[in-house]
């Protein structure tokens, strides 16, 4: 299958899974989830679904557990929406921490900026006078 076709399948699955997770999953453990990407194997046997989960670590773990238990339902909904496909890939859900990581980096950069404003660095633009007159 061409890379372009695989990418189309992955993009369609990402959209379907995002909507199903947001609007159809009834598991109370599943919090705020964003499907950040889907990668489909060349033989369409497997799909790695990256999900970003907001909340505290224990809430994130509970959400991932809820999503893992819903994999069969999610795959079934993908099959219904993509009925033109003969085979629907097995879903592998992966917690994508890149969003949280980038948010933490931004937070640290803001802290550094605030620290620099409070205590500006001393620049040696002018040479110090070492007793020479």
């Amino acid at each position: 299958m061409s890379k372009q076709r695989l990418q189309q399948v992955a993009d369609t699955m990402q959209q379907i899974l995002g909507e199903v997770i947001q609007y159809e999953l009834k598991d109370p453990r599943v919090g705020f989830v964003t499907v950040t990407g889907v990668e489909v194997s060349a033989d369409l046997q497997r799909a790695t679904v990256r999900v970003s989960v907001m909340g505290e670590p224990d809430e994130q773990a509970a959400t991932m557990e809820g999503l893992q238990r819903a994999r069969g339902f999610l795959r079934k909904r993908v099959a219904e929406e993509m009925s033109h496909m003969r085979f629907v890939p097995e879903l592998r859900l992966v917690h994508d921490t890149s969003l949280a990581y980038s948010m933490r980096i931004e937070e640290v950069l803001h802290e550094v900026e605030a620290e620099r404003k409070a205590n500006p660095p001393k620049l040696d633009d002018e040479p110090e006078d070492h007793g020479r007159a």
Side-chain angles (χ1 to χ4, degrees):
M1 185 174 281
S2 74
K3 284 187 178 186
Q4 183 179 359
R5 179 70 179 132
L6 283 174
Q7 190 59 52
Q8 288 174 337
V9 168
D11 291 345
T12 302
M13 286 181 67
Q14 181 177 348
Q15 181 181 2
I16 292 167
L17 289 168
E19 290 176 7
V20 170
I21 290 169
Q22 186 173 3
Y23 299 114
E24 295 181 30
L25 274 187
K26 303 297 183 209
D27 191 325
R29 295 175 293 183
V30 177
F32 185 74
V33 176
T34 302
V35 179
T36 58
V38 175
E39 295 166 7
V40 181
S41 65
D43 61 2
L44 293 177
Q45 296 293 310
R46 291 168 304 285
T48 300
V49 181
R50 291 186 319 276
V51 293
S52 176
V53 182
M54 300 305 282
E56 297 299 318
D58 57 332
E59 296 168 329
Q60 292 177 6
T63 294
M64 286 305 296
E65 186 178 317
L67 289 173
Q68 292 295 346
R69 291 194 48 95
R71 277 187 322 178
F73 172 72
L74 295 172
R75 187 176 182 205
K76 178 180 168 233
R77 289 295 292 120
V78 169
E80 291 169 359
E81 294 292 325
M82 299 179 76
S83 58
H84 62 281
M85 291 182 59
R86 277 186 250 159
F87 185 80
V88 175
E90 190 71 35
L91 303 179
R92 180 173 165 256
L93 299 168
V94 177
H95 187 188
D96 183 356
T97 58
S98 62
L99 180 61
Y101 182 72
S102 63
M103 288 173 61
R104 177 65 185 136
I105 288 174
E106 189 171 334
E107 185 179 304
V108 168
L109 289 174
H110 284 294
E111 290 172 7
V112 169
E113 182 181 11
E115 178 68 26
R116 283 190 141 199
K117 283 182 180 176
N119 302 307
K122 184 173 185 172
L123 301 176
D124 292 333
D125 287 341
E126 298 177 14
E128 289 184 29
D129 185 17
H130 293 289
R132 290 180 240 162

